[in-house]
Amino acid sequence: MRRFLFNSGLGRVIPVIILAACLTAIFLSASPAGAQSGTAQEAATPGSHGPATDYWPMLFVLILASFIGLGVIRRVSRLLHTPLMSLTNAISAIAVVGSIVVTGADYPPLIRLLGGIALFASVTNIVSGFLITDRMLRMFKKQ
Amino acid sequence: MRRFLFNSGLGRVIPVIILAACLTAIFLSASPAGAQSGTAQEAATPGSHGPATDYWPMLFVLILASFIGLGVIRRVSRLLHTPLMSLTNAISAIAVVGSIVVTGADYPPLIRLLGGIALFASVTNIVSGFLITDRMLRMFKKQ
Amino acid sequence: MIPEIQQLAYILATVLFIFSLHWMNDPKTARRSVMAGAVAMLVAILATWIDPHIVHHGWIILAIVIGLVVGVPLSRVPLTAVPQRTALSHAFGGAAAGLVGTAKYFLWLGEGPENLTTFRMVAIVAEIILGYLTFTGSLMAAGKLQEVRWIPQRPVVYPFQNVINIGLLVVAIVLGALLVMYPAEPWSGMAFLAIIGLSLIFGVLFIIPIGGADMPTVISILNSYAGLSAVAMGFVLDNKLLIIAGALDGSSGLILSIIMCKAMNRSFANVLFGAFGQVKAAVAKGEQKVYKQESIEGAAQFLEQANSVVIIPGYGMAVAQAQHRTRELYDQLTKRGITVKFAIHPVAGRMPGHMNVLLAEADIPYSALVEIDEINADMPQCDVALVVGANDVVNPAARHDKSTPIYGMPIIDADRAKMVLAIKRSKNPGFAGIDNELYFKDNTWMLFGDAKAVIGDLAKQLSGGGMGH
Amino acid sequence: MIPEIQQLAYILATVLFIFSLHWMNDPKTARRSVMAGAVAMLVAILATWIDPHIVHHGWIILAIVIGLVVGVPLSRVPLTAVPQRTALSHAFGGAAAGLVGTAKYFLWLGEGPENLTTFRMVAIVAEIILGYLTFTGSLMAAGKLQEVRWIPQRPVVYPFQNVINIGLLVVAIVLGALLVMYPAEPWSGMAFLAIIGLSLIFGVLFIIPIGGADMPTVISILNSYAGLSAVAMGFVLDNKLLIIAGALDGSSGLILSIIMCKAMNRSFANVLFGAFGQVKAAVAKGEQKVYKQESIEGAAQFLEQANSVVIIPGYGMAVAQAQHRTRELYDQLTKRGITVKFAIHPVAGRMPGHMNVLLAEADIPYSALVEIDEINADMPQCDVALVVGANDVVNPAARHDKSTPIYGMPIIDADRAKMVLAIKRSKNPGFAGIDNELYFKDNTWMLFGDAKAVIGDLAKQLSGGGMGH
Ligand SMILES: NC(=O)c1ccc[n+]([C@@H]2O[C@H](COP(=O)([O-])OP(=O)(O)OC[C@H]3O[C@@H](n4cnc5c(N)ncnc54)[C@H](OP(=O)(O)O)[C@@H]3O)[C@@H](O)[C@H]2O)c1
Ligand SMILES: NC(=O)c1ccc[n+]([C@@H]2O[C@H](COP(=O)([O-])OP(=O)(O)OC[C@H]3O[C@@H](n4cnc5c(N)ncnc54)[C@H](OP(=O)(O)O)[C@@H]3O)[C@@H](O)[C@H]2O)c1
């Protein structure tokens, strides 16, 4: 394990770990999840794997999005690697979506406080991320 | 409409049409679909748009897959455009998955007959598609 | 448990399909593509088969066996027949999608109309319209390419044709819309069948006005339709794998057709509604100018004395199956230390990559195949340009004569070479049906005859000549 | 209705995000990237905000306002501080993910433990571990880059360090596994907090042994963790957009770190567990060899007489903020018809693309910035190579001396130029802490001093000298 972790580099194995974890989870939770989201007509239709609809779509989305990510980023101009860093920063602040819900919904105050802090952090990243990226990109001139 | 259809070329607008159609459909069917697949705990969780889980994931998957498709195909070597055609042929015969279900499930014979024909057609495409692609690719030699 | 295994298998298949297409970006890795694709398909099939709802295994096995029996021979067709085969398999694909859609609809109609949600109905309607029109359309295309007797090669045109076609489609779509709103009325079944009928007819009428030689473009457009119908099926069955594979197929068809149109400098519209082949009839007559002919011996000498020879193959080489003889000629010349390159025009022949496959079949290394821009750069240094059954792709008119249908299409600048040898059987024009001034230039000599024969003679001459001296 | 609008908005945002990153492949289209990204973000925020479950708008507005107040100044930092800023924002991102995960867990624990499905628990555990370790880790990284007093720059090492670190992580994961199996026991809350604690500590210990100059690589690795924690959050909230954006971010971090490691010819393992900076202390001593110095006047003359000059900027130029003076020098030389190119090494400076941004800031056209392979090709034709505060990236030892830590790292072949002028302040080594034989070669002359001052003098000399003749 340790060897593997080292040679292949943490960065590269983490995704594998995550996915593996999720999959094991799925097999453990096969039935409960099914119980929660299967629907009469789906279950009645072979080919539309009812019980699975809960989380499988997300895995498909994750896989596809990763393919796109690797494909697109590999082609980013070397010139722009610094702006790229701050741009992806801002984009990953999409966590704001989650924070808003937790902050604004009718939850116990303490929970909403956590959400509020998260929201503040995300907004900070969005604002500073996009602004500084734009600032840098404005500098690049062909001639 | 017709102008548009012509200038942009049928091929290119069809996807747009399809998507548009699906979306309108979704708005028409908002409630029924919701009724069918919302689940208590999902509905209780803001942020996890319960009622929508039915078809939205598919749209996400479609969008992402199209991005991947365009990205990957654009980079296929010009040398291999003929084999590419037969390869995608074979791949799109994935319809076999649907045919198997219709053929094998406990449905009225007539329906299964339709399925059987579909299955036959798909298998034909799979077999001939992959075989001929391989036959062609085997011919390409560097020196 | 089983649904989990199935989904897992489908994810695996997805990944493999993507890699399969990815590996096609380089001939070195391309062989893997087939492996990946085939494995993915197998995984998907097995994963579906284990579904507990499936009880009639006999039916499935029977269908698969028949499929194998038909499929294997279909993969043995000569390479010149590849376009037809492709068209045929699109027809099969479209049919499969249409039939499954039909089956599903009537199933739900009978067993539980509540399943016919608006969303599903939209998907089903899209699936059957695309599926069935792809079916008949592709059959027509295959027929035209195979030059079947009772299918007219030339575009068949009649007044208001496009209006009628579009009209048909619109009617089908309107019916579809009705069906979406009233999926389970007494008349719904009829409407459904009507849509099927209209789609089938549309498929035929849609192809009739398109000239045989435009079929390749049409094929790739139909290819993307086949893909989209698979996507629709995926929506109907809530099956992600179908959606993904369909989308991949769809984009492939789309991109190939765009490439072709670009390389022919024509719009989709012109291909689909321009009834292009007609032009031929019109322009083909009236050739006064004189051809300068050359003997095999003379041509062989020219080739022998050259330092660099560029061979420009076209549809004619495919028709004549001259690739193997071309290989012999190639060997003869390279043996003499002459550098021989092949200039490959993106739309030389009748499908994208046509020339590459044929030459590869004759074991000509793909390192010797040069793309248009690159070869045009060193054309001026080329001593002899040997045109083998190519015509439009070397027609200089494309550069200056606005009146020709191929105006603006990028061509291979054979006319810029020090001298040109052109092989063709007759004085007939090529696909675009226009004269080729290249043949009348001072430094152009014609070698009339079947490409296979002529090239064969040249090769023999050279080998013989080689010993002679 | 609202869920539909939301999903539609999320799809729109997805598409925009993908285009945003796609447009970064060319400086010409790059400006659009920011627009697309910002619009996407806005759409996503509004779509979420209209959720009927959201009632406490005050809180949201407050948090957003504070975010704005803090965010704007953070975007005004000098470009040399960009690495710190990036690290800081990863810390924020990690924190956000961690906090939301925590909130969700305790919410469900209190209001409906049946929501804590195995799948969700796995996602939550992944989210908080990644989130919190990214938080503290990035703070440490930012500190080291900012050279905060009480955070040691040099790697801090102690026996069994890696064992201890990995141990911590393992314990956290084991606790997580337990939690997944028993999400709602009386002790579960405690375990949850324990995991948080362990992750926070791990984040710190994980960074301590890594030298300040390796931080850029670490940052991009943390970048991908931040992305992955967003993915995990997406799984928890069943929100596709989060999953997609997270995956995009994750792959970006991954690819950048791989690029850096490749360009430094080091493995992730070496960066993360190699305690690299130490080497410095070890090797830095013992310099007998003699430097040949050159005066400003002399150097100016060399430059004047040259036909082609290659300027090789490095970390020193960044530290000295010498880019604007460099621009003046560039103008002086080009004015004389001398061709001036900038050789950009992928890891020159302290973050990927560092030099490009600085030179762009000084209005140097990016057409003058040449990548390593290209410039090395015409180095032999270069009359004067002007090294501005670069060291490791021009150290020939990387080519032959297996004993140096930078062995195998591709370098800019300054030593192959006809002559070399090198600007640095002292005899100290560079980041890798090793002597640079380039400085002792016969055709190398040193210009000791701060890059900004030296270049400034050179420029003045040239402008003055220019008139003199
Ligand atoms: N590649 C594609 O994807 C694609 C798709 C659609 C359309 N097209 C169109 O097809 C055309 C391709 O151009 P091209 O130059 O390759 O072909 P072409 O313009 O159709 O010309 C073929 C030439 O080969 C000669 N030929 C036919 N059979 C022969 C034989 N057995 N021996 C010797 N010569 C023979 C013909 O003259 P004779 O009859 O006198 O022998 C004709 O001049 C372009 O106009 C392109 O737009 C291509
Ligand atoms: N770019 C990245 O992403 C990245 C990431 C991680 C690590 N690194 C590492 O960082 C190093 C970058 O190489 P490099 O050659 O650019 O930088 P370097 O090897 O660190 O050398 C910088 C040189 O600039 C001189 N210098 C410092 N301040 C100066 C000033 N004010 N005026 C003039 N000279 C000054 C220093 O010498 P004096 O002190 O004598 O002035 C030193 O020799 C590589 O080893 C690379 O692996 C880069």
Side-chain angles (χ1 to χ4, degrees):
Chain A
M1 168 60 186
R2 212 179 135 201
R3 266 273 117 275
F4 169 65
L5 198 73
F6 285 17
N7 301 349
S8 59
L10 264 179
R12 257 167 292 191
V13 292
I14 285 275
V16 185
I17 296 177
I18 288 252
L19 202 67
C22 298
L23 297 184
T24 39
I26 284 142
F27 282 90
L28 294 172
S29 65
S31 35
Q36 279 154 23
S37 82
T39 75
Q41 128 269 351
E42 272 176 330
T45 317
S48 76
H49 312 280
T53 36
D54 198 14
Y55 36 74
W56 284 104
M58 304 197 236
L59 290 182
F60 273 100
V61 168
L62 173 60
I63 300 277
L64 295 175
S66 309
F67 269 108
I68 294 180
L70 295 172
V72 171
I73 302 281
R74 274 221 328 280
R75 297 190 170 77
V76 168
S77 154
R78 272 182 176 279
L79 276 175
L80 303 180
H81 276 165
T82 303
L84 173 65
M85 274 181 144
S86 46
L87 180 66
T88 50
N89 258 202
I91 290 182
S92 71
I94 186 68
V96 69
V97 168
S99 325
I100 288 183
V101 172
V102 178
T103 317
D106 193 4
Y107 296 150
L110 194 61
I111 297 219
R112 284 184 10 236
L113 184 63
L114 295 182
I117 302 172
L119 179 51
F120 146 75
S122 310
V123 173
T124 313
N125 278 356
I126 295 173
V127 175
S128 62
F130 282 125
L131 285 181
I132 198 167
T133 310
D134 190 54
R135 197 179 124 212
M136 286 194 255
L137 290 177
R138 253 190 277 112
M139 296 169 176
F140 284 88
K141 301 187 191 54
K142 179 139 193 65
Q143 193 51 276
Chain B
M1 168 58 189
R2 206 175 141 203
R3 265 283 107 274
F4 168 65
L5 199 74
F6 284 20
N7 301 351
S8 61
L10 264 178
R12 258 165 294 189
V13 290
I14 286 275
V16 185
I17 296 178
I18 288 255
L19 202 66
C22 298
L23 296 184
T24 41
I26 282 140
F27 283 90
L28 295 172
S29 66
S31 34
Q36 280 156 21
S37 81
T39 74
Q41 127 269 353
E42 271 175 330
T45 318
S48 76
H49 311 278
T53 37
D54 198 14
Y55 37 75
W56 283 105
M58 303 198 238
L59 291 182
F60 273 99
V61 168
L62 173 59
I63 300 277
L64 295 175
S66 310
F67 268 107
I68 294 180
L70 295 172
V72 171
I73 302 280
R74 275 222 326 282
R75 297 190 170 76
V76 170
S77 156
R78 272 183 175 278
L79 277 175
L80 303 180
H81 275 165
T82 303
L84 173 66
M85 275 182 143
S86 46
L87 181 66
T88 50
N89 257 203
I91 289 181
S92 71
I94 186 70
V96 70
V97 168
S99 325
I100 288 181
V101 172
V102 177
T103 316
D106 194 2
Y107 296 149
L110 195 61
I111 299 223
R112 294 200 344 254
L113 185 61
L114 295 182
I117 302 172
L119 179 51
F120 146 76
S122 310
V123 173
T124 313
N125 279 355
I126 295 173
V127 175
S128 63
F130 282 125
L131 284 180
I132 198 166
T133 310
D134 190 53
R135 196 180 124 211
M136 286 193 252
L137 291 177
R138 251 189 279 109
M139 296 169 175
F140 284 87
K141 299 186 194 55
K142 178 133 197 67
Q143 194 49 281
Chain C
M1 194 60 188
I2 283 184
E4 279 66 34
I5 295 178
Q6 290 181 315
Q7 293 296 321
L8 211 54
Y10 289 167
I11 286 191
L12 178 62
T14 300
V15 173
L16 284 172
F17 278 144
I18 295 175
F19 273 109
S20 169
L21 290 177
H22 170 70
W23 280 325
M24 289 293 280
N25 65 4
D26 179 349
K28 284 186 222 59
T29 57
R31 288 294 298 283
R32 268 187 251 156
S33 298
V34 181
M35 273 327 292
V39 172
M41 194 58 76
L42 204 64
V43 170
I45 291 178
L46 295 180
T48 315
W49 205 332
I50 60 173
D51 191 310
H53 296 88
I54 292 178
V55 287
H56 300 278
H57 299 282
W59 287 56
I60 296 182
I61 294 170
L62 181 67
I64 291 184
V65 170
I66 305 179
L68 284 166
V69 173
V70 180
V72 173
L74 259 181
S75 72
R76 299 235 179 295
V77 299
L79 285 179
T80 35
V82 167
Q84 301 69 311
R85 193 213 70 86
T86 312
L88 205 60
S89 65
H90 289 144
F92 282 26
L99 290 170
V100 170
T102 317
K104 272 290 177 187
Y105 173 74
F106 285 107
L107 178 72
W108 279 323
L109 190 63
E111 299 190 345
E114 73 281 3
N115 288 333
L116 298 171
T117 64
T118 313
F119 175 77
R120 284 224 177 110
M121 281 312 293
V122 174
I124 289 184
V125 170
E127 180 182 357
I128 59 166
I129 292 184
L130 283 168
Y132 285 113
L133 84 80
T134 307
F135 175 56
T136 46
S138 302
L139 280 183
M140 289 295 294
K144 287 202 176 199
L145 285 163
Q146 186 64 48
E147 303 182 354
V148 176
R149 214 168 304 78
W150 42 270
I151 296 181
Q153 280 298 99
R154 296 251 152 284
V156 176
V157 291
Y158 46 82
F160 306 112
Q161 190 164 34
N162 292 336
V163 183
I164 294 173
N165 291 356
I166 299 291
L168 268 177
L169 193 57
V170 170
V171 175
I173 290 175
V174 170
L175 269 177
L178 278 173
L179 211 54
V180 170
M181 284 177 277
Y182 313 98
E185 303 300 317
W187 49 265
S188 300
M190 280 297 114
F192 194 88
L193 295 178
I195 297 179
I196 295 181
L198 287 169
S199 314
L200 289 170
I201 299 170
F202 178 77
V204 177
L205 298 185
F206 171 60
I207 301 301
I208 280 187
I210 305 178
D214 263 334
M215 280 311 122
T217 325
V218 174
I219 289 179
S220 14
I221 295 176
L222 290 169
N223 184 355
S224 57
Y225 292 179
L228 288 168
S229 60
V231 170
M233 191 196 290
F235 279 111
V236 175
L237 304 177
D238 180 11
N239 183 318
K240 314 277 176 304
L241 180 57
L242 269 171
I243 298 177
I244 294 167
L248 295 176
D249 190 38
S251 26
S252 148
L254 181 59
I255 287 181
L256 285 182
S257 41
I258 291 176
I259 289 179
M260 274 191 267
C261 285
K262 280 225 186 85
M264 294 190 286
N265 189 41
R266 292 169 56 196
S267 68
F268 273 101
N270 179 291
V271 170
L272 295 178
F273 308 98
F276 191 62
Q278 283 184 299
V279 192
K280 227 172 217 151
V283 191
K285 34 202 88 321
E287 293 164 11
Q288 285 75 355
K289 314 205 204 59
V290 286
Y291 294 91
K292 292 183 300 310
Q293 291 209 33
E294 180 53 78
S295 68
I296 296 295
E297 296 70 16
Q301 284 211 354
F302 282 128
L303 289 169
E304 245 176 326
Q305 282 140 22
N307 295 325
S308 89
V309 173
V310 172
I311 300 179
I312 305 167
Y315 177 59
M317 186 186 80
V319 179
Q321 283 290 299
Q323 60 269 34
H324 298 286
R325 293 290 161 77
T326 310
R327 162 82 200 201
E328 292 167 18
L329 181 61
Y330 172 80
D331 291 339
Q332 284 299 330
L333 294 173
T334 43
K335 213 173 65 196
R336 287 172 167 68
I338 303 170
T339 56
V340 184
K341 293 221 191 77
F342 290 84
I344 307 299
H345 189 285
V347 292
R350 287 292 182 271
M351 64 185 167
H354 200 165
M355 295 297 121
N356 302 309
V357 187
L358 290 175
L359 295 173
E361 183 190 16
D363 287 334
I364 291 168
Y366 58 78
S367 47
L369 314 184
V370 187
E371 279 189 17
I372 178 164
D373 309 338
E374 201 179 324
I375 200 72
N376 280 347
D378 27 359
M379 258 308 175
Q381 286 75 45
C382 159
D383 299 316
V384 181
L386 177 60
V387 179
V388 182
N391 195 338
D392 300 341
V393 298
V394 292
N395 190 340
R399 281 201 300 261
H400 55 72
D401 181 351
K402 290 204 174 40
S403 69
T404 57
I406 64 168
Y407 175 71
M409 150 170 162
I411 63 158
I412 292 170
D413 303 338
D415 56 330
R416 305 227 159 118
K418 302 214 180 78
M419 85 170 287
V420 178
L421 292 173
I423 303 174
K424 69 199 297 285
R425 296 166 309 183
S426 69
K427 299 184 164 44
N428 299 343
F431 160 69
I434 51 172
D435 277 355
N436 190 336
E437 58 191 61
L438 174 71
Y439 298 147
F440 309 112
K441 292 191 68 230
D442 327 345
N443 59 353
T444 304
W445 277 269
M446 305 299 296
L447 297 165
F448 285 111
D450 176 83
K452 189 170 185 176
V454 175
I455 302 257
D457 297 346
L458 277 174
K460 226 184 272 88
Q461 184 67 27
L462 282 171
S463 56
M467 299 161 196
H469 298 278
Chain D
M1 195 61 188
I2 284 185
E4 280 66 34
I5 296 179
Q6 291 181 312
Q7 293 296 320
L8 212 52
Y10 289 167
I11 286 190
L12 178 63
T14 301
V15 173
L16 285 172
F17 279 144
I18 294 174
F19 273 109
S20 170
L21 290 177
H22 170 71
W23 279 325
M24 288 294 279
N25 67 4
D26 180 350
K28 285 187 221 57
T29 57
R31 288 293 298 284
R32 269 186 252 157
S33 298
V34 180
M35 275 323 296
V39 171
M41 193 59 75
L42 204 64
V43 169
I45 291 177
L46 294 179
T48 315
W49 204 333
I50 61 174
D51 192 309
H53 297 87
I54 291 177
V55 287
H56 301 278
H57 298 283
W59 286 55
I60 296 182
I61 295 170
L62 181 68
I64 291 183
V65 170
I66 306 179
L68 283 166
V69 172
V70 180
V72 173
L74 259 180
S75 72
R76 300 235 178 294
V77 298
L79 285 179
T80 33
V82 167
Q84 297 78 305
R85 193 211 70 86
T86 312
L88 205 60
S89 65
H90 290 145
F92 282 26
L99 289 170
V100 170
T102 317
K104 272 292 181 185
Y105 173 74
F106 284 108
L107 178 72
W108 279 324
L109 190 62
E111 299 190 345
E114 73 281 3
N115 289 331
L116 297 172
T117 64
T118 313
F119 176 76
R120 283 224 176 108
M121 281 313 294
V122 174
I124 290 185
V125 170
E127 180 181 359
I128 57 166
I129 292 184
L130 282 167
Y132 286 112
L133 82 80
T134 309
F135 175 55
T136 46
S138 302
L139 280 183
M140 289 295 294
K144 286 202 176 201
L145 285 163
Q146 186 64 48
E147 305 185 353
V148 175
R149 217 168 301 80
W150 43 269
I151 294 180
Q153 278 298 100
R154 297 251 151 288
V156 176
V157 291
Y158 45 84
F160 305 116
Q161 190 164 35
N162 292 335
V163 184
I164 293 171
N165 291 356
I166 299 292
L168 268 177
L169 193 56
V170 171
V171 175
I173 292 176
V174 170
L175 268 177
L178 277 173
L179 213 52
V180 170
M181 284 177 276
Y182 312 99
E185 303 299 319
W187 49 266
S188 300
M190 280 297 111
F192 194 87
L193 295 179
I195 298 178
I196 296 181
L198 287 169
S199 314
L200 290 169
I201 299 171
F202 177 77
V204 176
L205 299 185
F206 170 60
I207 301 301
I208 280 187
I210 305 177
D214 262 335
M215 280 310 124
T217 325
V218 174
I219 289 179
S220 12
I221 294 177
L222 289 169
N223 184 353
S224 58
Y225 291 178
L228 289 168
S229 60
V231 171
M233 191 195 291
F235 278 111
V236 175
L237 304 177
D238 182 11
N239 183 317
K240 313 279 177 305
L241 179 57
L242 269 171
I243 298 176
I244 295 165
L248 295 176
D249 190 37
S251 25
S252 146
L254 181 59
I255 288 181
L256 285 182
S257 41
I258 291 175
I259 289 178
M260 275 191 266
C261 286
K262 279 224 187 84
M264 294 190 284
N265 189 42
R266 292 169 56 196
S267 69
F268 273 99
N270 179 292
V271 170
L272 294 179
F273 309 96
F276 191 62
Q278 279 186 301
V279 192
K280 230 173 220 158
V283 192
K285 36 200 86 323
E287 292 166 12
Q288 288 76 354
K289 313 205 204 58
V290 287
Y291 292 93
K292 290 183 301 308
Q293 290 208 34
E294 180 53 79
S295 68
I296 296 294
E297 297 69 20
Q301 284 211 353
F302 282 129
L303 288 170
E304 245 177 325
Q305 283 140 21
N307 294 326
S308 89
V309 172
V310 171
I311 300 178
I312 306 165
Y315 177 58
M317 187 186 78
V319 178
Q321 284 290 298
Q323 61 268 33
H324 298 285
R325 294 291 161 77
T326 310
R327 164 79 200 202
E328 293 167 19
L329 182 62
Y330 172 79
D331 292 338
Q332 283 300 332
L333 294 173
T334 43
K335 214 173 62 194
R336 287 172 166 68
I338 304 172
T339 56
V340 184
K341 294 221 191 82
F342 290 83
I344 308 297
H345 190 284
V347 293
R350 287 293 182 270
M351 64 185 168
H354 201 165
M355 296 297 121
N356 302 309
V357 189
L358 291 174
L359 295 173
E361 185 191 14
D363 288 333
I364 290 169
Y366 57 77
S367 45
L369 313 184
V370 186
E371 279 188 19
I372 179 164
D373 308 337
E374 204 178 323
I375 200 72
N376 280 345
D378 26 2
M379 258 309 175
Q381 285 76 45
C382 159
D383 299 315
V384 181
L386 178 61
V387 179
V388 182
N391 194 338
D392 300 343
V393 298
V394 292
N395 189 341
R399 282 201 300 260
H400 55 71
D401 181 352
K402 289 202 175 42
S403 70
T404 58
I406 63 168
Y407 176 71
M409 148 171 162
I411 64 159
I412 293 170
D413 303 338
D415 56 330
R416 304 225 161 118
K418 300 211 182 79
M419 86 172 287
V420 179
L421 293 173
I423 303 175
K424 68 200 299 284
R425 296 165 310 180
S426 69
K427 299 184 163 49
N428 299 343
F431 161 70
I434 50 171
D435 278 355
N436 189 337
E437 57 190 62
L438 174 71
Y439 299 147
F440 307 112
K441 291 191 68 232
D442 324 346
N443 59 353
T444 305
W445 277 268
M446 304 301 295
L447 297 166
F448 285 111
D450 175 82
K452 191 170 184 176
V454 175
I455 301 256
D457 298 344
L458 277 175
K460 229 183 271 91
Q461 184 66 28
L462 282 171
S463 55
M467 300 160 198
H469 299 282

